[in-house]
């Protein structure tokens, strides 16, 4: 007797830098932080040489996108001005695309000014942890630039988001948030909207796993679903380890996510994620 996987993964297409990309199987977004204070020390690449070396590795290992961030948004982190952030990330974007012009770069920022500069210099996706809540110019800008826009749910701000976050029903409240946010983005003219439930951003350990257990619920929004759980506290606090030891746990939660139809995995470790997807895909094809 065989048991078939009954989940049908939603398929989407996006205009990414003038190229039509079909999301008909899970994709991988690698993380490069041009910052000295990201929560996971091994994801910090403060020089252009380190950025280029890491980008080369990620592209070789099978990353579909690379997400460039210029400031830490971990709980309690100091928030940078747009000027400071731009001075960190624009040289990295220029150097990376000069050497790897085929790379599809996402800019991880909540500053519209930074997003605009990044797109001007070759980035093709905007990844906004605040979904336009921290800069009301961001959503109109994404629409004007015709860039795919990743809107993430965050309760509060990085300064206070982990100070006793409360929900009556975290799944329903995050879902309701995205109903309104997707309407706002569509009304502004954004064609390619990607949603991110915001694991670790204003959620307790229990909240994170409640969201993980109900990811299929979010397919009702008819948007690609991006999941960012790589090496986060929902893994290392549960297992009583530190982020450096959280690769195995990251693979487990990523597998649970793709089994519920997640389309994009945002990860620090591309090779393990790629191997996970290859095994999962082969299993589905041979069920």
């Amino acid at each position: 007797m065989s048991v078939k996987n009954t989940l049908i993964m939603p398929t989407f297409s996006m205009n990414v830098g003038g190229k039509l990309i079909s999301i008909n199987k899970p994709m991988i977004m690698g993380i490069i932080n041009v910052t000295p204070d990201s929560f996971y020390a091994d994801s910090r690449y403060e020089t252009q040489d380190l950025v280029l070396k890491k980008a080369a590795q990620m592209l070789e290992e099978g990353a579909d996108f690379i997400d460039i961030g210029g400031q830490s948004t971990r709980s309690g982190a100091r928030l940078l001005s747009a000027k400071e952030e731009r001075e960190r990330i624009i040289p990295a974007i220029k150097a990376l695309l000069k050497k790897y012009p085929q790379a599809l770069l996402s800019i991880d920022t909540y500053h519209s000014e930074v997003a605009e500069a990044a797109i001007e210099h070759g980035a093709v996706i905007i990844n906004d942890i605040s979904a336009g809540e921290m800069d009301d110019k961001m959503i109109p800008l994404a629409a004007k630039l015709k860039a795919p826009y990743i809107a993430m749910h965050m309760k509060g701000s990085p300064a206070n988001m982990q100070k006793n976050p409360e929900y009556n029903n975290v799944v329903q409240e995050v879902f309701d948030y995205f109903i309104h946010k997707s309407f706002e983005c569509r009304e502004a003219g954004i064609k390619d909207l990607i949603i991110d439930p915001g694991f670790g951003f204003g959620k307790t350990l229990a909240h994170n796993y409640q969201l993980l257990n109900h990811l299929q619920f979010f397919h009702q929004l008819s948007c690609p679903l991006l999941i960012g759980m790589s090496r986060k506290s929902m893994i290392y606090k549960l297992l009583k380890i530190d982020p450096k030891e959280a690769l195995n746990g990251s693979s487990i939660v990523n597998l649970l996510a793709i089994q519920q139809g997640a389309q994009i995995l945002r990860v620090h470790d591309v090779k393990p994620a790629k191997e996970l997807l290859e095994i999962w895909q082969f299993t589905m094809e041979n069920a």
Side-chain angles (χ1 to χ4, degrees):
M1 181 179 72
S2 64
V3 178
K4 294 282 187 179
N5 186 313
T6 57
L7 173 67
I8 298 175
M9 178 179 164
T11 298
F12 298 92
S13 60
M14 296 191 305
N15 181 354
V16 182
K19 300 176 183 178
L20 190 64
I21 291 181
S22 177
I23 306 178
N24 54 17
K25 61 182 180 179
M27 305 181 82
I28 296 172
M29 176 177 282
I31 301 167
I32 293 182
N33 293 313
V34 191
T35 169
D37 57 348
S38 294
F39 79 92
Y40 174 44
D42 287 354
S43 72
R44 303 168 188 165
Y45 306 97
E46 296 181 64
T47 68
Q48 285 189 18
D49 286 345
L50 289 174
V51 168
L52 292 175
K53 183 177 179 181
K54 189 61 180 178
Q57 178 188 344
M58 287 182 166
L59 292 170
E60 183 178 345
E61 291 175 349
D64 299 289
F65 313 104
I66 293 178
D67 195 38
I68 304 287
Q71 67 169 300
S72 174
T73 50
R74 60 181 170 79
S75 180
R78 180 179 78 87
L79 300 184
L80 301 185
S81 68
K83 181 176 183 294
E84 289 176 287
E85 190 179 61
R86 191 174 65 249
E87 288 172 353
R88 284 184 180 180
I89 61 98
I90 296 303
I93 288 174
K94 290 168 68 175
L96 202 160
L97 288 175
K98 181 178 180 181
K99 188 155 188 178
Y100 307 107
Q102 80 282 10
L104 299 177
L105 303 188
S106 165
I107 174 62
D108 180 2
T109 184
Y110 54 81
H111 289 300
S112 62
E113 179 183 330
V114 175
E116 186 167 26
I119 298 293
E120 180 183 335
H121 286 90
V124 291
I125 298 172
I126 299 171
N127 182 11
D128 180 4
I129 63 163
S130 81
E133 305 289 348
M134 296 176 73
D135 185 340
D136 60 12
K137 296 178 182 177
M138 181 67 91
I139 288 175
L141 174 73
K144 183 182 80 170
L145 297 176
K146 298 181 171 57
Y149 182 62
I150 302 168
M152 193 193 79
H153 175 272
M154 173 172 57
K155 192 178 183 75
S157 69
N160 60 25
M161 64 186 180
Q162 289 306 108
K163 295 180 179 178
N164 301 314
E166 294 183 0
Y167 301 85
N168 291 322
N169 182 319
V170 66
V171 176
Q172 188 65 57
E173 289 180 44
V174 174
F175 180 78
D176 289 346
Y177 174 84
F178 279 120
I179 289 176
H180 296 288
K181 185 58 62 175
S182 60
F183 178 79
E184 178 185 355
C185 290
R186 302 295 187 202
E187 283 290 292
I190 291 175
K191 303 297 184 184
D192 297 312
L193 176 65
I194 302 164
I195 62 169
D196 176 353
F199 288 97
F201 284 79
K203 284 94 176 172
T204 65
L205 194 67
H207 293 147
N208 287 316
Y209 283 96
Q210 287 163 16
L211 282 170
L212 178 58
N213 281 333
H214 294 87
L215 285 180
Q216 289 190 57
F217 194 64
F218 291 89
H219 292 309
Q220 298 175 71
L221 296 164
S222 299
C223 297
L225 184 60
L226 180 145
I227 300 300
M229 298 183 288
S230 180
R231 296 185 182 267
K232 285 188 174 178
S233 63
M234 64 179 285
I235 301 163
Y236 66 77
K237 287 185 177 179
L238 178 64
L239 300 178
K240 298 180 175 59
I241 55 177
D242 63 38
K244 196 173 182 68
E245 301 171 291
L247 175 56
N248 188 48
S250 297
S251 295
I252 292 168
V253 294
N254 281 333
L255 176 58
L256 294 172
I258 64 169
Q259 285 178 328
Q260 296 189 69
Q263 282 93 359
I264 303 173
L265 298 179
R266 184 177 179 272
V267 301
H268 297 95
D269 310 279
V270 171
K271 185 178 179 180
K274 186 70 172 180
E275 292 174 345
L276 181 157
L277 293 182
E278 287 182 5
I279 293 171
W280 176 80
Q281 188 73 41
F282 189 82
T283 302
M284 294 302 99
E285 291 169 356
N286 292 275

